[in-house]
Amino acid sequence: MNHKVLILHGPNLNLLGAREPDMYGAVTLAEIDRRLGEAAAERGVELRSFQSSSDGALIDAIHEAQDWADGIVFNPGAYTHSSYALRDAIAAIDLPTVEVHLSNVDAREAFRRRSVIAPVCVGKIAGFGWYSYLLSLDALLQLLGSQ
Ligand code: DQA
């Protein structure tokens, strides 16, 4: 059975490429999704990708993933540090979720060192730019037993 994975991008990540490129890199979100799609095809995995800057839309996507996905790779953006509602959404469903960040959040401002999402995730990858997503996808697939 082919695994199915939701790639979930949170607030402001639609601006990648133009947004603070020194911090987040020059790769656009569309290009990240394209590279992940290519990797998924090589691995025989089905990916669906969704971005929203609204926590409600992200919560809905997490709830809906329960009906079709085997796991989630989630970059919650700044909601990482504040959103108990997103944390509860992940806790409410029974899908392994990997927290992912482009930047090394532990090497930045103090408020970014705290993730309210991490305790309900299976693990976290941060600091490798767009490649953090590929590492997260492979980590999730390893966990799901397909690699
Ligand atoms: C981010 C890190 C967050 O602290 C920040 O608010 C973002 C991007 C990252 O991918 O490095 O929006 O999630």
Side-chain angles (χ1 to χ4, degrees):
M1 190 198 75
N2 286 354
H3 287 300
K4 299 185 175 89
V5 175
L6 172 63
I7 307 287
L8 197 54
H9 308 283
N12 302 308
L13 296 170
N14 53 310
L15 300 180
L16 283 180
R19 173 194 182 203
E20 300 181 69
D22 290 348
M23 181 57 67
Y24 297 118
V27 182
T28 63
L29 191 66
E31 177 60 16
I32 292 176
D33 282 341
R34 195 196 62 74
R35 292 178 188 184
L36 289 175
E38 210 170 74
E42 284 165 10
R43 291 156 177 71
V45 171
E46 184 185 323
L47 283 195
R48 294 187 205 169
S49 178
F50 178 69
Q51 187 276 330
S52 179
S53 294
S54 145
D55 54 353
L58 293 166
I59 289 166
D60 289 343
I62 291 167
H63 292 174
E64 284 160 22
Q66 204 171 18
D67 297 331
W68 65 269
D70 300 303
I72 302 175
V73 171
F74 185 23
N75 185 345
Y79 288 141
T80 304
H81 319 295
S82 64
S83 179
Y84 298 118
L86 277 169
R87 173 204 164 109
D88 283 356
I90 296 164
I93 59 159
D94 192 21
L95 293 180
T97 299
V98 178
E99 181 183 325
V100 60
H101 299 284
L102 298 131
S103 65
N104 181 0
V105 281
D106 291 311
R108 299 180 62 191
E109 301 95 326
F111 76 88
R112 293 187 206 273
R113 283 182 216 136
R114 174 169 173 264
S115 169
V116 301
I117 307 292
V120 293
C121 290
V122 291
K124 171 165 106 173
I125 293 175
F128 300 97
W130 78 270
Y131 199 68
S132 291
Y133 281 94
L134 192 50
L135 293 169
S136 299
L137 177 63
D138 278 340
L140 180 63
L141 294 177
Q142 171 74 27
L143 193 87
L144 292 171
S146 78
Q147 283 200 339

